[in-house]
Amino acid sequence: MSLSADQTVEALRAAGEPTRLRILSLLAGEELSVMEMSRILDQSQPRVSRHLKLMTDAGLIERFPDGARVYYRLSHDAQARRLIDTVLDILAEDAGEADHRRLDEVRRDREEAAVTYFEQVAPQWDRLRSLYVSETAVEAALEKAVGPGPFERVVDLGTGSGRMLTLFGKKAKMSVGLDLSQNMLNIARTNVTKAGLDKVELRHGDIFATRLPAASADLVIVHQVLHYLSDPSAAVAEAARLVSPNGRLVIIDFAPHDFEHMREAHKHRRLGFADSEINGWLLDGGLTPSAPIALPHDAEGLTVTIWTAERRVQDRKTA
């Protein structure tokens, strides 16, 4: 369905201001908070918020709260995105260069803080991860959701201490674990060796660009990773790309919560995910989601959800 003339004029008016064009260009890269955009644009948060409201009302961008913070991203509406892409395409190539340099600075600051955190906590990672949620309960539910196997190839993105590899490695002909933290990878190597697994490959790799072949794994796992990421939808898209026909992607993460202290204490960027959000990303990746599994929350009030989805092969039989 195309935009009406009135809708097109409203959208163009909303976009037709220098700061708003700058914001659209930034959001074309990733979702951002008001605070981050204020820093990049060097404008006050109230001023940035006014621009954001106008574009939200016009359907160009989407607003979503995450605990005490609010994030924005480009609209998922196909016609709105087409209009945005057209507007951004005709901008001069050097337009927004300074903004994107500052965006890179924001990214580097986030990445450096995260790397420092993971390098520091790596030796205690399994203990820290179980402070809020019973790992025994999560792993029992996960094994039930994944099934008995066997698996041709398991890929664990953001493998951390390698716990998912030791849990499913014996059911797989071969496994691959990726992580950006060398300290974590060293711990994973020790744990994999202790588990007696010899067909496991551990790589220093980026969840956004794994460099693994498409459709190469019949089980892809993303365990307690998405809430650290600046662009979780892109990570899900990359994970989905790896899923082979009749293969499965499993995501384990927190349901939405409001524990703001986890941003500073544990470098969480997102405070959980709604079922509709994850399922939308899975569908966008060409996968068919199953019903989410929500594990009862612990004493702190955190709920862990397991989302699974398959790449189903269409029945080619003719009537």
Side-chain angles (χ1 to χ4, degrees):
M1 184 179 295
S2 300
L3 295 176
S4 68
D6 288 345
Q7 289 172 322
T8 301
V9 170
E10 182 185 2
L12 288 172
R13 282 175 176 164
E17 194 277 338
T19 296
R20 292 175 218 151
L21 286 174
R22 294 168 67 190
I23 290 172
L24 290 176
S25 180
L26 289 168
L27 293 180
E30 64 182 74
E31 61 188 35
L32 293 166
S33 69
V34 178
M35 181 175 62
E36 289 169 330
M37 283 186 278
S38 177
R39 172 183 167 185
I40 293 166
L41 298 169
D42 193 24
Q43 296 183 15
S44 69
Q45 291 191 34
R47 184 177 179 183
V48 172
S49 294
R50 285 195 295 272
H51 288 302
L52 293 168
K53 184 179 187 306
L54 284 168
M55 289 194 289
T56 302
D57 291 344
L60 293 176
I61 62 177
E62 297 173 352
R63 174 188 188 276
F64 62 100
D66 184 60
R69 295 189 184 180
V70 176
Y71 287 88
Y72 288 84
R73 58 191 168 210
L74 294 184
S75 171
H76 281 83
D77 178 78
Q79 296 305 320
R81 289 298 293 269
R82 182 181 175 189
L83 186 147
I84 294 167
D85 290 343
T86 300
V87 170
L88 294 179
D89 282 345
I90 62 177
L91 287 177
E93 289 187 6
D94 59 351
E97 279 188 356
D99 290 340
H100 285 275
R101 284 196 298 270
R102 286 190 288 270
L103 174 58
D104 287 340
E105 291 173 5
V106 169
R107 287 171 174 157
R108 283 195 297 272
D109 288 348
R110 288 196 308 241
E111 290 169 1
E112 287 172 5
V115 168
T116 299
Y117 169 75
F118 285 117
E119 293 297 330
Q120 289 174 346
V121 304
Q124 298 87 32
W125 178 244
D126 288 332
R127 181 184 63 81
L128 288 171
R129 197 178 58 192
S130 63
L131 284 177
Y132 295 96
V133 182
S134 166
E135 285 299 298
T136 301
V138 172
E139 291 175 4
L142 183 56
E143 287 189 294
K144 185 176 180 180
V146 166
F151 306 104
E152 288 293 320
R153 194 183 201 202
V154 172
V155 172
D156 183 24
L157 300 178
T159 193
S161 64
R163 177 56 187 159
M164 293 297 102
L165 296 175
T166 61
L167 190 63
F168 294 106
K170 292 180 180 179
K171 301 177 181 180
K173 289 186 177 179
M174 78 92 59
S175 304
V176 178
L178 271 72
D179 206 286
L180 278 174
S181 168
Q182 292 288 3
N183 205 358
M184 284 290 194
L185 287 171
N186 289 336
I187 292 170
R189 289 187 181 95
T190 299
N191 290 336
V192 163
T193 300
K194 286 181 179 178
L197 301 174
D198 56 0
K199 295 183 179 178
V200 176
E201 182 180 344
L202 289 159
R203 299 185 182 182
H204 183 261
D206 188 344
I207 193 171
F208 297 113
T210 63
R211 295 185 294 179
L212 295 173
S216 60
D218 52 348
L219 177 60
V220 180
I221 303 169
V222 184
H223 180 226
Q224 295 288 16
V225 174
L226 293 185
H227 58 256
Y228 293 107
L229 304 180
S230 61
D231 192 356
S233 64
V236 174
E238 175 65 0
R241 185 185 68 83
L242 303 179
V243 179
S244 63
N246 294 319
R248 183 174 299 178
L249 170 59
V250 182
I251 298 171
I252 308 95
D253 219 297
F254 295 119
H257 62 87
D258 58 2
F259 292 101
E260 284 291 331
H261 70 276
M262 297 185 79
R263 295 192 197 273
E264 292 301 322
H266 299 296
K267 305 306 175 187
H268 290 200
R269 177 169 169 81
R270 291 286 303 274
L271 301 184
F273 300 90
D275 293 341
S276 58
E277 187 172 31
I278 296 288
N279 284 338
W281 295 337
L282 293 170
L283 289 167
D284 289 344
L287 306 181
T288 302
S290 300
I293 301 169
L295 302 182
H297 65 73
D298 69 343
E300 295 288 337
L302 284 171
T303 297
V304 168
T305 303
I306 299 173
W307 296 273
T308 61
E310 296 178 79
R311 186 175 302 284
R312 294 179 180 171
V313 177
Q314 297 295 324
D315 187 356
R316 298 182 180 177
K317 293 181 181 180
T318 57

